[in-house]
Every structure is written in structure tokens, then in C-alpha cells.
Amino acid sequence: MSKSTDAPASSSVPAPSRATIVDRLRAAGCVFAEDEAELLIDSAASPAALLAMVDRRVAGLPLEHIVGWVDFCGLRVAVDPGVFVPRRRTELLVRRAAALAVPGATVVDLACGCGAIGLAVAAIVGDVVLHAVDLEPSAVRCARRNLAALGAQVYGGDLYEPLPARLRGHVDVLVANVPYVPTGAVDLLPPEARIHEPLLALDGGADGLDVLRRVASGARDWLAPGGHLLLETSLEQADAALAALAEAGLVPALARDDDLPATVVIGRC
């Protein structure tokens, strides 16, 4: 009897074409389908991995969670699944914070998420003593990885609670991108955010400013004389946010970038 000469079936997966990927992404509603296709192709280790990544994106997962990083202020910042993805509008918060932080300044990043704001401020200023805090354990782990090279301290806990007492009255720049979406508007957010990002990073309470007020009310205990608190908010909430800073004993100011668009309130101690 002659032996079979049939070769075993190949288990390899053919790579999808760029055009096919773009078409699938566009059909799923991805506005920047061509850019996303390039990023997925560059990030995939194999054709099978690429197909899986495209499937996840089509299913609505954030692109940054799929590739594992986000481009923020020109930096490649790791961002894990379930961690808040930094938005481009937050670059205004970074620029304003960096402008107030001289080399050697003590900077605290509250509600730090993946640590992107503190990382970007340090990159601009060049030398800061950085501390970061987040309540979400997955965010703390991600921030520790991103900030390890800076020697930053990253704490798990609620706002000021885990900070060491020695920082009281010695913080030069206190920056916080706390949640500011009103509870009633959370369901109106894109699925990428409301399904795949932690609710505590989005929901700011009835008017969206519950956490902002908590940060403002405690800031004077931690800021050095002449120190600054900076918070991102929306233009519609700006007046109420400025009032919260003034009520907390800070001198309030407003910064706006219509191109991003972004709104930041600043309180000076």
C-alpha cells in the first residue's frame, strides 16, 4: 500500500489586507478608520493577532486598550484594559501645570489614572518630585509602570487620603483630572467610555462637580504658599468650578483652548 503524500493542513491565518481592515472599521463607525488600521497593523505580532485586534475594535473596545498604549503629549503611555484613556483635550491641563512647575518642584497628580499627566509634566519640566494617587487598583498598577523610571511614588486610595503627611504644605503644583460628567449624562457617553472605562473615572455626581469640590476643599492643606491647584472641567461648568475654588480659599483663574477644546480652572494658594 502506498503511503499518503497529502501534507498536513496549514494552521496559518492569512493576513487581511489594509483595505479590508479599513472597510470593517469604517462600517463599525470608526471615524479615523485609515489611521486606526495602520496602528493595528503596526501593533500586531501576527496575522491571527491582527484579526483578533480588528474584531475587538469592531466590537467597540477602545483602540488604546487593544494596542496597549496611547499617544499623549507626544509620549507613548501604557494604558491597560479597564483604565481611563487620557484625552487629547487634557494637554491643556498638562501645559498649564508645567508652566507653573519649576525644576525641582513637588507635583501631585490626583486621580492619576495611568499616570499620563504626571509623566507629561515631568517630561516638559525636566525634573520634578512626583507623587500620584488613584482609587482604582488597575490604574495604580498601570501608573506605577509608566512612572517607574521617574522614581515617582504612586499610591492607591481616595484623593488626599494616602499621601504622606510630610507633603502637607509643601506641594507646589497639584493637578487633577477628576470625573466631571453629571450622573444623568453618563449614559450619553460613547460606548467606548461608558462600557470599557471605570465609572468612578467618569461620574462626577449630580452636577458633575462633586469630586472637584472635594479636591478644592482640601487643597490648601497640601499646597505650599503660592502653590497652584489645576483641574479640568467643561466650559458649561466653569463658573461653578471657579466658585468652588474661591469658596475653598483659593484665588481662581480660568484657562481655555478652543482648538482642543478644553477648559481648566486654576486656584492659587
Side-chain angles (χ1 to χ4, degrees), residues 90-215:
T90 304
E91 293 181 6
L92 175 62
L93 187 62
V94 168
R95 294 200 307 266
R96 290 292 178 160
L100 295 167
V102 299
T106 296
V107 176
V108 171
D109 182 1
L110 291 183
C112 69
C114 64
I117 294 173
L119 182 66
V121 170
I124 294 171
V125 178
D127 176 29
V128 299
V129 179
L130 179 61
H131 299 260
V133 181
D134 204 280
L135 186 59
E136 181 67 38
S138 58
V140 172
R141 290 191 296 270
C142 191
R144 283 177 176 157
R145 204 162 73 250
N146 282 319
L147 301 177
L150 299 177
Q153 297 296 310
V154 183
Y155 312 92
D158 185 23
L159 299 179
Y160 302 106
E161 180 271 328
L163 289 174
R166 59 185 169 81
L167 290 181
R168 285 184 178 272
H170 293 89
V171 177
D172 299 300
V173 175
L174 177 57
V175 60
N177 184 18
V178 296
Y180 55 88
V181 178
T183 300
V186 170
D187 286 344
L188 304 178
L189 292 173
E192 289 182 0
R194 60 183 166 79
I195 295 175
H196 299 289
E197 293 180 320
L199 183 62
L200 62 82
L202 304 171
D203 190 343
D207 69 349
L209 298 178
D210 283 1
V211 187
L212 183 147
R213 291 189 184 93
R214 290 180 57 210
V215 172

Side-chain angles (χ1 to χ4, degrees), residues 39-67:
L39 186 55
L40 291 170
I41 291 168
D42 290 344
S43 301
S46 67
L50 176 58
L51 282 171
M53 294 167 77
V54 173
D55 287 343
R56 293 172 69 200
R57 183 62 180 134
V58 168
L61 273 74
L63 178 67
E64 296 82 3
H65 287 168
I66 296 170
V67 300

